[in-house]
Amino acid sequence: FVSPTAWSWRPLLALWRRDAPPLRHAVRAALALGSAYALAQALPWGTHEYWILLTIVVVLRGSLAQTLERRNSRVAGTLVGCVLSGALLAAHPSAWVLLLALTLAQAVAHAFAVRHYLVTSVAATVLGLVQAHLLGAGIGTVFDIVERMADTLIGVALAWGFSYVLPSWERRQLPALLGRVLRAQARHARIALAVAQLQAVDDEPELQWRLARREAYDSLSALVQATQRALVEPRAVQPPLQALERVLTLANQLLAQLTAIKTMLLLRRGRLDLQALRAPLERAVADMAAALEENAAAASASPLSPVSSLDTALPVDLPDDDLNPWLLRRLALATGLAAQLGAQARPLRQSL
């Protein structure tokens, strides 16, 4: 959990590629801000031309979905903030009341900047308009409110338009995310079914399993978020959503089976014959690694193992103190799910 403290130029040098999303976003933002500055200088009003630039800075994000979300929050928050500011200033409050409103608006704007940008936008609008009112000694309050709303609409329109300039569509990020999912699933299966950990007495193997399981869930979460962001992109650049849905379904089912197996190995080892399970576990780990690895040829060349070919039907008469048939059944289901996951994810990754 310790981050590296050494500084290196390699991460920066790796971004100087035409398809690097940070570089494309930097160029996109520079073009948007340059165009907004030129437009602000040409507008008939120019008392707060930085409002347009500030709107673009907070609205224009690295993806179209995030930009649209910020656009909607910025417009709605500015509208509500203008109404609240107009009602506050129309009451002609004292300087102490305005100072209290400024303090409260500044605190709320910074507190919700990451959590809920709509609230931040409302508070920032109140903060900006009250400050403009105090600096202008109450002159042109109505004009400031109209200007704030107009500058916001111009800024969000420019940010929305420039989000299509040098775009970084989500389908370009999906191959790396799919590869991360396959690697995380393979590592989780290897650690969860490790034979050497069956007789362990310390907590180190369980900690390694929990970390591997967390990485598996994190990789799936990143893939889900990318898929959700792709829903608002143009249809021509959208990835195959049904195929991604099948991959996510199989990956979650595989995680559920492996978690159940690991729980039985940890909590029910007294009702398991560990020596009889050693060979099936080793074979299952090998089969899952072959099915989930990035080399498709190795997975297709691997023969069907005894574990994956087991009949998942349980016999009628099972002893109460023997959980081996139940574990072997889950092991066979997990091996089959891993084979299906690899067969679905690898062609999808290559087609993107």
Side-chain angles (χ1 to χ4, degrees):
F1 298 101
V2 179
S3 301
T5 57
W7 291 90
S8 174
W9 288 101
R10 277 187 290 181
L12 180 61
L13 297 178
L15 299 179
W16 291 97
R17 306 190 320 271
R18 186 179 60 180
D19 58 341
L23 179 62
R24 298 171 74 89
H25 180 64
V27 175
R28 186 188 314 127
L31 294 175
L33 291 173
S35 302
Y37 181 77
L39 179 61
Q41 298 300 316
L43 288 175
W45 64 87
T47 52
H48 304 95
E49 63 274 359
Y50 62 90
W51 280 348
I52 300 179
L53 303 179
L54 181 61
T55 299
I56 293 178
V57 169
V58 298
V59 170
L60 187 59
R61 303 284 94 185
S63 66
L64 178 61
Q66 295 170 338
T67 300
L68 295 180
E69 182 181 0
R70 280 296 183 95
R71 178 201 65 182
N72 298 337
S73 298
R74 182 72 176 184
V75 172
T78 302
L79 179 60
V80 175
C82 288
V83 172
L84 294 178
S85 301
L88 175 65
L89 298 176
H92 303 288
S94 63
W96 289 107
V97 174
L98 292 179
L99 180 61
L100 178 61
L102 284 176
T103 305
L104 181 61
Q106 185 175 13
V108 172
H110 286 83
F112 287 88
V114 179
R115 305 296 299 177
H116 203 318
Y117 183 72
L118 177 61
V119 179
T120 295
S121 181
V122 173
T125 301
V126 174
L127 178 64
L129 291 176
V130 173
Q131 284 179 335
H133 172 78
L134 293 177
L135 293 175
I139 301 175
T141 300
V142 177
F143 177 75
D144 287 340
I145 294 177
V146 175
E147 182 186 3
R148 176 76 177 199
M149 198 66 208
D151 288 346
T152 298
L153 293 176
I154 294 174
V156 297
L158 288 174
W160 184 16
F162 275 94
S163 63
Y164 292 91
V165 177
L166 297 176
S168 298
W169 304 123
E170 293 300 328
R171 67 180 302 127
R172 297 179 179 176
Q173 320 301 325
L174 290 178
L177 294 177
L178 287 171
R180 179 187 174 188
V181 168
L182 292 178
R183 290 191 298 270
Q185 294 283 346
R187 182 173 182 270
H188 177 248
R190 184 173 62 254
I191 294 178
L193 306 180
V195 178
Q197 298 179 8
L198 296 181
Q199 305 295 339
V201 295
D202 57 357
D203 295 333
E204 182 64 23
E206 183 179 353
L207 176 62
Q208 295 179 5
W209 168 61
R210 292 183 182 275
L211 293 177
R213 186 179 62 171
R214 190 186 71 170
E215 169 59 20
Y217 278 113
D218 288 346
S219 64
L220 286 177
S221 176
L223 184 60
V224 169
Q225 293 176 11
T227 304
Q228 291 177 341
R229 291 193 299 265
L231 294 176
V232 300
E233 293 180 347
R235 188 178 300 273
V237 298
Q238 283 186 357
L241 299 178
Q242 293 183 352
L244 286 172
E245 182 181 358
R246 288 194 295 269
V247 169
L248 291 171
T249 301
L250 291 171
N252 280 285
Q253 290 177 349
L254 176 59
L255 276 175
Q257 293 294 342
L258 290 176
T259 301
I261 294 172
K262 185 63 176 181
T263 303
M264 294 175 68
L265 292 174
L266 289 174
L267 303 181
R268 300 290 186 266
R269 64 174 60 190
R271 299 171 61 184
L272 294 171
D273 186 357
L274 299 181
Q275 294 300 325
L277 292 174
R278 185 176 296 271
L281 287 173
E282 290 178 346
R283 187 58 183 174
V285 170
D287 285 350
M288 292 186 189
L292 296 174
E293 65 182 4
E294 299 180 9
N295 187 2
S300 61
S302 177
L304 189 64
S305 67
V307 173
S308 58
S309 61
L310 283 176
D311 188 1
T312 56
L314 291 170
V316 178
D317 297 328
L318 287 176
D320 296 335
D321 57 346
D322 185 12
L323 293 181
N324 277 31
W326 297 94
L327 191 143
L328 289 175
R329 178 177 183 271
R330 288 193 177 274
L331 202 59
L333 293 173
T335 307
L337 288 171
Q340 295 180 49
L341 176 60
Q344 291 284 342
R346 282 193 304 270
L348 176 60
R349 187 184 180 194
Q350 296 173 358
S351 64
L352 292 172

